[in-house]
Amino acid sequence: MGRTSKDKRDVYYRLAKENGWRARSAFKLLQLDKEFQLFQGVTRAVDLCAAPGSWSQVLSQKIGGQGSGHVVAVDLQAMAPLPGVVQIQGDITQLSTAKEIIQHFKGCPADLVVCDGAPDVTGLHDVDEYMQAQLLLAALNIATHVLKPGGCFVAKIFRGRDVTLLYSQLRVFFSSVLCAKPRSSRNSSIEAFAVCQGYDPPEGFIPDLSKPLLDHSYDPDFNQLDGPTRIIVPFVTCGDLSSYDSDRSYPLDLEGGSKYKYTPPTQPPISPPYQEACTLKKKGQLAKEIHPQDCPISRVDTLPQ
Ligand code: SAM
């Protein structure tokens, strides 16, 4: 796909570059905020699974604009620096990373924890959903250590068949849990966001990193919830319905917009996994070796003598 055709196919990708966001995901957080006023009164926030950093950009602009805000961003991948954002490179499912994050909030808890984390998708739905759930629970575990009472937690979920189990776990800690689908999140994707407001852990709950909430014995059949334990949370779509549809292709010259001009990505990836392949390709060294036995028989060979 050429540079321009990607801009045409994915309007949010293109608008992100034009507006200086590092990723199209920025619009998801902005649309969630518009619906739920997530940033109201927030001065301290944690951005889990933050690279390449568009959510951190939004956070630092919305809460760090006066210089009083404090954002801690965490990801497995290296991330280019952002003003007002403290970065930690690490795995949020690891105890050492969780401890490092918590250290930043000693005595001064966070108002907001967000997590846009996504595992490398395998295409096997059950596996992907399971990995996503584990990431969310790791994020929730960290949130229980750093959130102030009444604080807010927003995390990406996959609306798969076991999602009600996650809702139930979230409802244990928050007075309000709902599922939101921003307009900029493709309809064709099972992705949505759990918006959990009013952090209110059960009486006597003591956050304990040595007993993470991760359920390593997770069994999709055993874990099904029924009857009174089944929780159905409200589903809300957010973002103006007249705004761009993330599943549609748009002409490059948008109606009422300025004339199309190609914009390079705001922040190219620092060391993406495909870097080696790109370097080899540039040097013309990526070509597959051709063995004589794999060559098609030439017409000359097959012509009758
Ligand atoms: N919100 C980001 C933004 O706006 O730029 C985009 C996040 S991207 C969709 C998902 C990120 O999750 C990836 O950068 C990936 O490295 C990170 N991730 C996945 N598993 C993780 C883990 N166990 N610990 C930390 N980060 C993780």
Side-chain angles (χ1 to χ4, degrees):
M1 190 187 298
R3 302 189 302 181
T4 304
S5 53
K6 185 152 189 203
D7 281 359
K8 188 171 170 184
R9 185 181 59 92
D10 190 334
V11 70
Y12 285 103
Y13 168 79
R14 173 187 156 190
L15 291 175
K17 292 186 299 166
E18 288 176 7
N19 288 284
W21 300 119
R22 291 181 177 185
R24 65 193 293 291
S25 334
F27 292 106
K28 299 177 193 169
L29 187 59
L30 289 167
Q31 289 171 350
L32 287 168
D33 171 54
K34 204 162 178 203
E35 185 71 32
F36 301 103
Q37 291 80 49
L38 297 176
F39 306 136
Q40 220 166 53
V42 170
T43 55
R44 302 170 74 84
V46 185
D47 183 7
L48 298 171
C49 303
S54 78
W55 280 30
S56 290
Q57 281 181 294
V58 172
L59 287 170
S60 81
Q61 285 188 19
K62 295 278 180 182
I63 73 170
Q66 318 304 325
S68 55
H70 184 83
V71 180
V72 175
V74 189
D75 203 285
L76 283 171
Q77 317 274 346
M79 205 170 105
L82 278 170
V85 178
V86 174
Q87 284 184 39
I88 297 173
Q89 192 172 352
D91 181 343
I92 65 160
T93 65
Q94 295 300 310
L95 195 62
S96 53
T97 315
K99 280 185 175 159
E100 212 180 319
I101 300 166
I102 294 160
Q103 269 169 14
H104 281 275
F105 289 92
K106 282 267 164 65
C108 254
D111 309 290
L112 173 68
V113 176
V114 295
C115 177
D116 187 27
D120 286 337
V121 176
T122 64
L124 302 168
H125 293 313
D126 284 349
V127 176
D128 292 339
E129 195 193 328
Y130 171 76
M131 300 289 285
Q132 180 66 30
Q134 296 300 295
L135 213 51
L136 182 141
L137 290 174
L140 175 63
N141 199 24
I142 291 167
T144 61
H145 285 82
V146 300
L147 259 188
K148 70 167 193 193
C152 179
F153 175 63
V154 175
K156 174 153 44 209
I157 49 165
F158 285 170
R159 281 173 303 140
R161 65 187 173 122
D162 297 319
V163 74
T164 52
L165 181 64
L166 279 181
Y167 293 149
S168 307
Q169 280 166 309
L170 291 167
R171 275 292 277 115
V172 171
F173 294 96
F174 295 89
S175 56
S176 158
V177 175
L178 50 80
C179 171
K181 179 83 174 170
R183 185 90 170 128
S184 48
S185 168
R186 295 187 183 101
N187 267 327
S188 46
S189 156
I190 57 167
E191 158 194 284
F193 293 87
V195 178
C196 312
Q197 289 172 302
Y199 179 56
D200 181 22
E203 224 180 292
F205 171 77
I206 300 168
D208 181 357
L209 277 178
S210 66
K211 289 200 200 89
L213 298 166
L214 298 187
D215 177 5
H216 291 291
S217 59
Y218 185 84
D219 171 345
D221 292 322
F222 177 75
N223 276 323
Q224 294 295 328
L225 294 178
D226 277 318
T229 52
R230 179 176 155 87
I231 288 181
I232 297 176
V233 306
F235 181 83
V236 178
T237 57
C238 47
D240 194 338
L241 275 186
S242 60
S243 59
Y244 297 114
D245 178 343
S246 43
D247 283 308
R248 259 189 64 189
S249 282
Y250 288 88
L252 289 171
D253 289 323
L254 290 174
E255 228 174 89
S258 50
K259 194 103 187 103
Y260 174 76
K261 197 169 126 277
Y262 175 75
T263 316
T266 303
Q267 176 61 58
I270 295 180
S271 60
Y274 50 83
Q275 196 165 37
E276 195 185 337
C278 291
T279 316
L280 289 174
K281 195 170 176 196
K282 263 191 203 145
K283 292 185 191 160
Q285 292 171 352
L286 196 64
K288 234 173 143 187
E289 242 177 76
I290 298 178
H291 299 286
Q293 69 268 25
D294 298 334
C295 289
I297 300 166
S298 75
R299 293 218 19 221
V300 174
D301 292 338
T302 54
L303 281 176
Q305 300 292 312

